[in-house]
Amino acid sequence: LTGLPPTPDEIQAFLQDGAPDAFSRVVDRLLASPDYGVRWGRHWLDVARYADTAGDGSDYPVPQAGQYRDWVVNAINADQPFDQFVRDQIAGDILAGTGPVEDYARRVTATGFLAIGKRYGYSPSPDYQYLDFADVIDSVSRSLLGLSVGCARCHDHKQQPMTQPEYY
């Protein structure tokens, strides 16, 4: 559950515990461990193409990236329902304006899912911004729909599930 092997002391304590609920208490302890969110959050962070740097040709550090990583770990440790987990990452900035004030920063941070992707160009230039948007659309479709829609940006394929007009 945590990706970490038990320590010798934990093994010994479990073996010496003769209670009928010994196994379920170990499972509960592991589920309550912060390491649980780190272990399982790592899977989502891979899907979300998380990195501490901008990647590509401009591989500079992104100091705020860790805030999104921590949000994912905390959401998993809090057992956030998956539908809310996804909603916060796609529309957290919009939801933040309509929800309780104490949820504002958390929800805006969740949109790191959209912001953490590759950035094209070396400055915030409108010349490359369409590529940033295309990357976000492709990342959302691949991670949540299990579907690549990149081709539909330019043309249709007979067997593609999404047409160019549907893409736009």
Side-chain angles (χ1 to χ4, degrees):
L1 291 175
T2 64
L4 302 170
T7 65
D9 290 341
E10 290 170 333
I11 292 170
Q12 193 62 32
F14 177 72
L15 293 174
Q16 291 177 351
D17 189 345
D21 66 339
F23 184 76
S24 64
R25 282 188 289 120
V26 168
V27 170
D28 289 342
R29 180 179 57 80
L30 293 173
L31 288 173
S33 167
D35 294 326
Y36 175 79
V38 172
R39 163 89 168 156
W40 294 101
R42 177 73 255 165
H43 296 294
W44 179 255
L45 291 169
D46 287 345
V47 168
R49 77 253 184 260
Y50 174 81
D52 290 326
T53 63
D56 204 35
S58 55
D59 199 19
Y60 53 85
V62 178
Q64 299 83 3
Q67 293 176 9
Y68 171 67
R69 176 200 59 224
D70 293 346
W71 178 87
V72 169
V73 169
N74 292 334
I76 290 173
N77 278 333
D79 201 21
Q80 185 177 32
F82 187 70
D83 64 331
Q84 189 63 51
F85 181 76
V86 170
R87 226 177 288 131
D88 281 351
Q89 292 178 82
I90 293 177
D93 53 342
I94 296 166
L95 296 169
T98 63
V101 173
E102 57 273 7
D103 287 347
Y104 185 84
R106 180 185 59 77
R107 282 192 152 156
V108 170
T109 301
T111 61
F113 172 70
L114 302 175
I116 205 74
K118 191 183 334 182
R119 293 294 172 248
Y120 296 87
Y122 297 97
S123 65
S125 165
D127 296 340
Y128 297 106
Q129 198 171 29
Y130 73 96
L131 293 172
D132 296 342
F133 295 148
D135 179 65
V136 169
I137 291 167
D138 200 39
S139 296
V140 169
S141 69
R142 286 177 188 214
S143 63
L144 297 171
L145 301 175
L147 169 68
S148 174
V149 298
C151 283
R153 193 174 120 220
C154 301
H155 55 269
D156 291 338
H157 287 277
K158 276 187 200 178
Q159 304 303 321
Q160 283 291 92
M162 184 176 285
T163 65
Q164 189 179 24
E166 290 170 325
Y167 178 90
Y168 287 100

